Amino acid sequence: PSNCPKWWLQEQIPFEFLLLELNQQKKEEERNNKKNNREMTTETDDDSSTPFHMSVLQTFRGHEDELVVSAISRDSTVGATGGEDRKIKLWNLEHDGQATDENKSECCLHTLQGHTAWVYGCSFSPDGKTLASSARDRTAKMWDVETGICKLTLNGHTGEDVYSSQYSPDGAYISTGSSDHTVRIWDPKREKQCVCVLGKDELCSTVWHTDWHPDGQMVVSAGDSGELRVWDIRQPSKSLNPPGKFKMSSTVHLIYWAEFNRQGTKIATAGSDSRVTVFDVATGDELLAMKGHSSTIRSCSWSANDRWIFSGGHDRTLRIWNSETGECAQIRNDHSDWIRSVVVSRDGSLLLTASGDKTGKLIHFDDFSVKSFKAFCEGLIDQQDDNSPVQLLQSFPHLLQSVYENL
């Protein structure tokens, strides 16, 4: 069709999924017309009733085509964006001000060039010294963050698209997912870097995203046909999904994203059913299905305290969800095109998005509930200042009970 989007041609999505997407886009356009394009504003004011405040700190410009992925280093000093221009840019997140032609050398630390096709995935090592990336050239690469030089290329996937590249929590391994229907685990220090191939005889679809459990012993993979799998890398021959586990209540054709929460007890997913779905890791039960996006959701990420989930999709909106109630707390319209990636810093204070409008946005997130809880705990401790160490230890159970009652 004449309005066939470029992403469908490039990513070779089945035709029936294209029709579904075009139908969703048509409905979205009709809604926008009825609302007189009220959702087409470039910035969104915060609702004073929400228990948090959000504001755009920087807008990163410089990519020559649509952005696909974003990442933040663990110490929140460096950000990364990659996309269809085959480049990865490293950004100084501590720079005060917007990225412009005049100061782009101060904002953009390096432009990493080496991939020969679209960049789909990237993540920082825990120490922030290395960036792992993956692309539509069958490879994953490791880059020196300080110099911008490629240190190593990981070859092995037989599928053209390598969609995901994620460091393990200890930085020892990298997981990748591909259109060859496998998840591969890499140890860059070994001569034979690929130490494990997951899903070779079990997965029947493209793997769009992978994520590590906080304990570093499990990996979740998301793919076509609504496939969500959890793998124990200590016993890689078969996934941990018994019949009936991790089944969606809605008909979902593609799961683009799956991410463990910080405690490792839940998994949030985003896909073509326009929902953010939350699963219990232990039981595999669906806990919540959050509705609000009018089209495909490409990415979702947990807040540092697991209270909030951030999602971005083809409807151009960034939405903030209460992970306990499933309610949408806020809708932001900072981008003029679809949002393909949203990630949260380790301390929860920053978000970095990647959009089809060729920009990335650094957003400050100030969670008032965290501040209130911290102040409450400090107040309890202050009450014990005059007590001896023995008395303080004796009162510790009471302190814990007080904290629990005020959560």
Side-chain angles (χ1 to χ4, degrees):
S2 59
N3 60 340
C4 178
K6 180 172 63 175
W7 63 266
W8 177 73
L9 293 173
Q10 295 286 352
E11 297 178 1
Q12 300 177 346
I13 303 299
F15 185 69
E16 58 269 25
F17 297 165
L18 170 65
L19 295 179
L20 176 65
E21 179 67 25
L22 292 177
N23 184 51
Q24 290 176 327
Q25 290 181 2
K26 183 179 179 181
K27 292 181 179 179
E28 178 193 350
E29 291 174 359
E30 292 174 352
R31 278 191 289 266
N32 286 339
N33 290 334
K34 291 180 181 179
K35 295 178 181 179
N36 296 319
N37 294 322
R38 284 180 295 172
E39 292 191 356
M40 292 297 293
T41 56
T42 57
E43 298 290 341
T44 301
D45 295 329
D46 282 321
D47 183 348
S48 59
S49 64
T50 58
F52 53 79
H53 177 267
M54 299 178 71
S55 59
V56 176
L57 300 178
Q58 295 189 58
T59 298
F60 298 121
R61 298 179 175 88
H63 282 278
E64 299 163 6
D65 212 330
E66 297 182 9
L67 300 192
V68 177
V69 67
S70 57
I72 300 177
S73 64
R74 184 170 289 196
D75 63 2
S76 302
T77 61
V78 182
T81 54
E84 297 178 13
D85 60 2
R86 301 170 293 178
K87 299 174 183 177
I88 302 163
K89 288 184 178 290
L90 300 182
W91 304 97
N92 179 7
L93 301 188
E94 297 180 311
H95 178 75
D96 186 17
Q98 302 295 317
T100 64
D101 291 337
E102 290 75 20
N103 67 6
K104 63 182 179 182
S105 61
E106 301 175 19
C107 294
C108 184
L109 303 173
H110 294 290
T111 298
L112 312 181
Q113 301 186 66
H115 284 295
T116 59
W118 290 11
V119 177
Y120 283 125
C122 65
S123 69
F124 286 94
S125 60
D127 61 9
K129 296 180 179 180
T130 307
L131 181 84
S133 65
S134 56
R136 200 181 186 206
D137 56 10
R138 292 187 171 89
T139 72
K141 292 180 181 292
M142 296 175 62
W143 308 82
D144 186 291
V145 171
E146 184 176 356
T147 65
I149 296 174
C150 181
K151 300 162 58 176
L152 183 66
T153 297
L154 304 175
N155 294 288
H157 279 292
T158 58
E160 183 178 31
D161 302 298
V162 184
Y163 287 108
S164 177
S165 52
Q166 295 290 325
Y167 265 100
S168 61
D170 61 2
Y173 301 101
I174 297 171
S175 64
T176 57
S178 170
S179 56
D180 64 9
H181 303 179
T182 68
V183 175
R184 292 177 182 257
I185 307 297
W186 309 82
D187 183 348
K189 295 180 180 179
R190 294 194 185 186
E191 182 178 353
K192 186 179 179 182
Q193 287 109 8
C194 184
V195 297
C196 184
V197 180
L198 308 174
K200 188 174 182 180
D201 301 317
E202 191 172 349
L203 290 176
C204 58
S205 65
T206 292
V207 178
W208 286 93
H209 191 255
T210 62
D211 188 47
W212 290 82
H213 190 275
D215 68 9
Q217 296 178 354
M218 291 189 292
V219 172
V220 61
S221 65
D224 291 353
S225 305
E227 279 197 309
L228 183 66
R229 302 274 181 166
V230 176
W231 311 87
D232 186 338
I233 64 170
R234 298 166 300 178
Q235 300 175 348
S237 60
K238 193 175 182 181
S239 71
L240 300 176
N241 295 51
K245 274 199 172 187
F246 304 111
K247 295 294 183 182
M248 300 282 185
S249 61
S250 64
T251 301
V252 56
H253 301 290
L254 298 96
I255 305 178
Y256 283 111
W257 199 273
E259 183 176 302
F260 287 104
N261 67 350
R262 302 296 178 96
Q263 297 181 35
T265 57
K266 299 176 182 178
I267 298 172
T269 67
S272 61
D273 64 347
S274 308
R275 301 182 181 191
V276 176
T277 306
V278 178
F279 291 93
D280 184 283
V281 173
T283 65
D285 295 337
E286 181 181 302
L287 302 177
L288 283 173
M290 291 167 274
K291 308 172 187 177
H293 282 281
S294 61
S295 187
T296 293
I297 309 173
R298 295 301 294 257
S299 177
C300 62
S301 192
W302 295 84
S303 65
N305 61 359
D306 289 339
R307 183 180 181 184
W308 310 103
I309 299 175
F310 307 89
S311 63
H314 288 185
D315 62 2
R316 307 184 185 100
T317 67
L318 171 66
R319 294 175 185 254
I320 301 89
W321 307 88
N322 186 312
S323 67
E324 294 297 329
T325 66
E327 296 177 352
C328 183
Q330 190 177 116
I331 304 172
R332 295 186 62 87
N333 299 275
D334 301 301
H335 286 285
S336 60
D337 206 335
W338 59 0
I339 300 172
R340 296 180 73 167
S341 177
V342 52
V343 294
V344 181
S345 63
R346 185 171 180 81
D347 66 2
S349 65
L350 296 174
L351 282 73
L352 182 58
T353 61
S355 170
D357 62 13
K358 304 179 186 179
T359 71
K361 289 187 182 286
L362 183 67
I363 301 173
H364 177 62
F365 180 71
D366 194 358
D367 191 342
F368 300 151
S369 64
V370 173
K371 285 187 174 182
S372 300
F373 177 72
K374 182 179 179 182
F376 171 75
C377 292
E378 290 174 347
L380 287 177
I381 294 173
D382 289 342
Q383 295 176 15
Q384 307 299 322
D385 282 347
D386 297 332
N387 295 335
S388 67
V390 173
Q391 290 174 319
L392 183 58
L393 288 174
Q394 290 174 341
S395 65
F396 190 66
H398 168 70
L399 294 178
L400 288 180
Q401 180 65 27
S402 298
V403 169
Y404 174 79
E405 291 174 351
N406 285 272
L407 282 176

